[in-house]
Amino acid sequence: MDWKEIYKSKLVTAEEAIKAIHNGDKVVVGLACGEPFGIERAMVENYQSFKDVQITSMLTLGDSPWIKPEMKGHFSLNCLFASQSNRRAISNGDCEFTTSHFYEIPDIIKNYICPRVSIVMVSPPDEHGYVSFGTSVDFTRGTTDYCEVVIAQVNKYMPRTFGNSIKHVRDFTYFVEIDEPLPEVKDVEISDIEMKIGINCASLIKDGDCLQLGIGSIPNAVCAQLWDKKDLGLHSELVGDGVVDLLEAGIINNKRKQTNHGRTVLGAALGSKKLNDYINNNPSVELHPIDYVNNPTEISKNDNMVSINSCLQVDLLGQVVSDTVGLNQFSAVGGQVDFVRGATMSRGGRSIIAMPSTAKKGLISRIVPLITEGSAVTTPRNDVNFVVTEYGIAQLKGKTLKERARALILITHPKFRPHLIIEYKKRFNEDPFTKEELKEQLDDIKKHIDESVGELREKLHEDFKKILNH
Ligand code: COA
């Protein structure tokens, strides 16, 4: 049969397509930037027709309908990345959470979760009958190889991308044509603190480096500081809008890459229309499944790989917490460890963990003596090399425990240094700094104590007095 006839024979309404979902099924749905909202809406509207259907979802940018009270007994959610839409449900036990390195997720879904049905979003077919997974190839494309039923929302707004991102119309069970703009993640304004972090990170980046950048304001702040660099490469699981101007200007040109030479490699693109327009029909950008993009061995094949990721907390030994706050799941490990390890294994590679020195509007330090009880270590201390805040850079690899702690204290916000100095002394039974070294920091510390508020100021005064008495 001609592909057009095959396509036509599979074209149905969303209501017809979802009849292929049976009670008790496991269903995997596409990642945020390729989430098949049109088909999901039909499922939610008809929820009473379904019983005990488990949805597996990596990340949604909208509300998560599956955890609404009325869905109980009809749909349940197993998510692979916590977000605003499901954090509370995970904590309350109303939603399951599966933890995994991102590069393993295709295998985890295929061989451990074992969904029967996959629901994805694709571009309209090209003249040869191939649809593109566009912005979201990641784990999504692979599900069409093993799921018994594959339903695709065909959306004219989905870009057509290069790489390992296409499938023939014969590989799907049903197509549902629903055109709707893709969800967008717009750039947020870069704060002064983030700009300083960007400057510190950029000081570790050299001409010819191959970068992995996460999403959010810190990667964008790093991008803003790369305009004097040359011949950068990009091999990243996800990118946002921040990279587009650098790509268009040829600052990122992938010229010195060893793999996918001359091409940007991504697993997914999570930005605004600006990014989607850039990757659409652009042969210099390749999207590949995440078990290739995030595989540390593949990452390491590019020389001078530099990974830049963010975190929530670092202890004085360099253990990094990025996805939990105490017992609460905040996000997920994503590709952080994949890229930290890939960059470490790459010839000339470097891994950077970058974060503001404080959280909660300056009320708490992200650098702490002990990680919060209940938190999980995301990146183990032996994997961590550079930790960056707005106060500088701590280089940890090859350092003794005392050297690590001292380096981290020096990039802590000054108002929290007294507390860490006291904790250092308790732990190592000696002062971290000589009297002369301490004196250099005292003015700075004092200035910040005066800026602090109420209870916190009193606590800081106490700590300050204690270190003066040492
Ligand atoms: N204790 C308590 N709360 C903390 C905290 C801590 N140690 N650190 C941060 N927070 C709070 C912040 O104050 C903020 O809350 P608020 O908005 O109420 O003030 C919230 O947690 C989010 O912190 P923020 O640093 O602004 O988050 P972010 O959006 O920049 O994301 C990570 C940072 C670490 C959560 C994110 O990068 C992530 O999930 N990383 C893991 C996955 C990864 O690295 N993937 C690879 C690249 S895609």
Side-chain angles (χ1 to χ4, degrees), residues 82-102:
S83 67
Q84 186 131 28
S85 69
N86 55 29
R87 248 171 235 145
R88 183 167 302 190
I90 297 169
S91 296
N92 294 345
D94 293 332
C95 167
E96 292 281 7
F97 178 81
T98 303
T99 181
S100 165
H101 296 303
F102 204 2

Side-chain angles (χ1 to χ4, degrees), residues 240-265:
D241 284 0
V243 295
V244 176
D245 294 341
L246 292 166
L247 282 159
E248 281 178 337
I251 304 271
I252 302 176
N253 57 20
N254 299 299
K255 236 183 184 169
R256 298 203 209 165
K257 269 175 128 176
Q258 279 66 40
T259 63
N260 308 94
H261 181 78
R263 290 186 165 79
T264 290
V265 168

